[in-house]
Amino acid sequence: MFEKTMADDFKGKKEDESSNEEDSDQEDSDVSDNELDDSTEARDGATTNTSVQNPFYTTEDHDDSDSEVSEDDSELEGDSDGKEEGSDVDSDDSDDDSDSSGGEEDDSKDKSEEAPATNDEDYLLEMLKSAREKKVRDCPPDIKLKQAVTDISFHPDENILALSNILGEISLFRYANEENKIERKVKMHKSGVRCLEYSQQGDKIISGGKDKLVKVLNLETGKVEAGSMSHSSALYSVASMEHGAVSGDEDGTVKIWDFRTNKCVLSSKRFDEFVSSFYLQETKNRLIASSGEGTIQSWDLRMNKADTQSEVYASELNCVAAVREETKLVVGDADGTLYIFNENQYGY
């Protein structure tokens, strides 16, 4: 009896426990159904909001996440604002840098402006210094004279220059790159010296003056040799020969002088105007002269007579010379024209 009662009690307890478990299972299913309904409503709400959301999250959790995102966004906006403020600071710094660079540019400009001034000062100092220093000349200095120079002639061997002036004086200068020194000054003619020439040996100077005389200065003795060498008019040109000289005057007369006898060995009047220049070809025994009337005349020195005369040119002829081993004759006129002739082909 007792055992039956214990069995019935144990069986009643089992039934109670099973009924309790069924009630708990029913409650759990109700809870899961509720949760499923909530998630379905949340999904429907998310669909209406056009955004995809996790169905296992509640709406409140989603709102919290949105608020967190908005806070993060606000923090990002704050950071961006900070960056903008920082950019303002950077811009201020850049302005400061630009100001400093501008100052450096101004300094460089000032230096560049000072540089040319410094260069100019250096150049001026160098010029003053070079002006004070004694320069090495590559040519003789100028010879300055009080009186007008009428003619010049160079010594054939030495660095000596003879000058004549309108007062009838002849001055001898020894020239060099360092300086010029006057060696002698001689009164040759009463009036102006028209022409002068060194002798071929360089021991004499021949001169012709306005006083119609031809004179010779002996450089060894320093004496003036005056003979009967004269013209009927003022002298215009002279040239030296081996043992004498040739002279021409304003009237067109040519005379050849022998210094060994101080006599005239040839007198020829072939021009109507002054005899401007001579060219002597002693190896060919020929004398050539140009004239103010515009003609060229030659003389045969072997035969001691006039040879060939040219046609009359448009202007007066002032000078004559030979080139190319004396095979070409060059004559210059008053208009600046040079005439070039083959040998012995200037006449007719």
Side-chain angles (χ1 to χ4, degrees):
M1 183 72 178
F2 176 74
E3 292 177 356
K4 186 179 179 181
T5 303
M6 289 294 292
D8 293 332
D9 294 333
F10 179 75
K11 185 178 179 180
K13 288 180 181 180
K14 282 286 187 180
E15 290 176 357
D16 294 332
E17 288 177 359
S18 61
S19 62
N20 291 331
E21 288 177 358
E22 288 177 359
D23 295 332
S24 63
D25 292 335
Q26 183 67 33
E27 290 176 359
D28 291 335
S29 63
D30 295 335
V31 171
S32 61
D33 293 335
N34 293 330
E35 289 178 355
L36 182 59
D37 294 335
D38 294 336
S39 62
T40 302
E41 292 176 358
R43 184 168 62 251
D44 295 336
T47 303
T48 57
N49 291 328
T50 67
S51 62
V52 179
Q53 295 179 356
N54 194 331
F56 297 101
Y57 285 7
T58 62
T59 304
E60 294 177 356
D61 294 335
H62 180 66
D63 294 335
D64 294 336
S65 63
D66 290 339
S67 64
E68 289 177 358
V69 171
S70 64
E71 289 176 357
D72 295 336
D73 294 337
S74 64
E75 289 178 359
L76 291 174
E77 291 176 357
D79 293 337
S80 63
D81 295 335
K83 288 183 179 179
E84 291 178 355
E85 293 176 358
S87 64
D88 294 335
V89 174
D90 294 338
S91 64
D92 294 335
D93 294 337
S94 63
D95 292 336
D96 295 336
D97 294 336
S98 62
D99 293 337
S100 62
S101 62
E104 291 177 357
E105 290 179 357
D106 294 336
D107 294 338
S108 62
K109 288 181 180 179
D110 295 337
K111 291 181 179 179
S112 62
E113 291 177 355
E114 292 176 359
T118 305
N119 293 334
D120 292 340
E121 292 177 359
D122 294 340
Y123 176 74
L124 181 58
L125 291 175
E126 289 294 332
M127 292 296 293
L128 292 173
K129 185 177 179 181
S130 61
R132 292 176 182 176
E133 292 178 355
K134 188 176 181 180
K135 296 182 179 180
V136 179
R137 299 181 59 90
D138 57 356
C139 63
D142 296 338
I143 298 175
K144 297 181 180 180
L145 302 173
K146 294 180 180 180
Q147 304 299 329
V149 176
T150 57
D151 201 2
I152 64 172
S153 180
F154 287 91
H155 194 281
D157 300 321
E158 301 180 30
N159 293 336
I160 300 176
L161 177 65
L163 305 172
S164 61
N165 60 28
I166 59 176
L167 298 180
E169 300 171 340
I170 293 179
S171 302
L172 304 180
F173 288 89
R174 184 174 293 275
Y175 58 89
N177 289 345
E178 292 77 18
E179 60 179 352
N180 301 319
K181 293 182 180 180
I182 186 169
E183 291 195 342
R184 189 180 299 180
K185 189 173 184 180
V186 181
K187 178 73 174 178
M188 291 287 290
H189 296 268
K190 293 180 180 179
S191 56
V193 180
R194 290 286 187 87
C195 50
L196 81 160
E197 187 77 17
Y198 267 101
S199 65
Q200 294 181 357
Q201 295 77 20
D203 57 345
K204 295 178 181 180
I205 292 179
I206 304 114
S207 64
K210 192 176 179 181
D211 56 6
K212 306 177 184 180
L213 297 177
V214 177
K215 292 186 177 183
V216 178
L217 173 63
N218 191 322
L219 296 174
E220 295 179 354
T221 62
K223 294 181 179 179
V224 177
E225 300 174 0
S228 59
M229 296 183 294
S230 64
H231 281 253
S232 59
S233 62
L235 273 293
Y236 202 94
S237 60
V238 296
S240 64
M241 302 177 68
E242 183 178 2
H243 298 292
V246 59
S247 57
D249 60 23
E250 289 182 346
D251 292 337
T253 301
V254 175
K255 290 186 178 183
I256 297 177
W257 308 92
D258 189 345
F259 289 161
R260 293 171 293 185
T261 60
N262 287 334
K263 291 181 179 181
C264 178
V265 297
L266 175 65
S267 179
S268 176
K269 183 175 172 55
R270 301 291 295 176
F271 306 114
D272 294 332
E273 294 188 24
F274 61 90
V275 183
S276 60
S277 181
F278 290 108
Y279 181 74
L280 181 64
Q281 293 178 314
E282 285 192 301
T283 58
K284 300 178 180 181
N285 293 313
R286 185 182 293 116
L287 175 67
I288 303 171
S290 59
S291 69
E293 68 181 14
T295 59
I296 305 167
Q297 178 69 50
S298 65
W299 286 267
D300 186 346
L301 299 178
R302 182 179 297 171
M303 301 300 295
N304 205 21
K305 66 177 184 178
D307 189 9
T308 305
Q309 190 176 36
S310 72
E311 61 180 303
V312 180
Y313 290 91
S315 180
E316 61 185 34
L317 303 179
N318 293 326
C319 56
V320 57
V323 295
R324 292 190 178 181
E325 298 180 352
E326 298 185 341
T327 60
K328 303 287 184 180
L329 187 71
V330 182
V331 182
D333 68 4
D335 294 332
T337 305
L338 291 177
Y339 299 94
I340 301 177
F341 304 95
N342 291 326
E343 188 175 12
N344 296 328
Q345 293 184 5
Y346 49 83
Y348 59 90

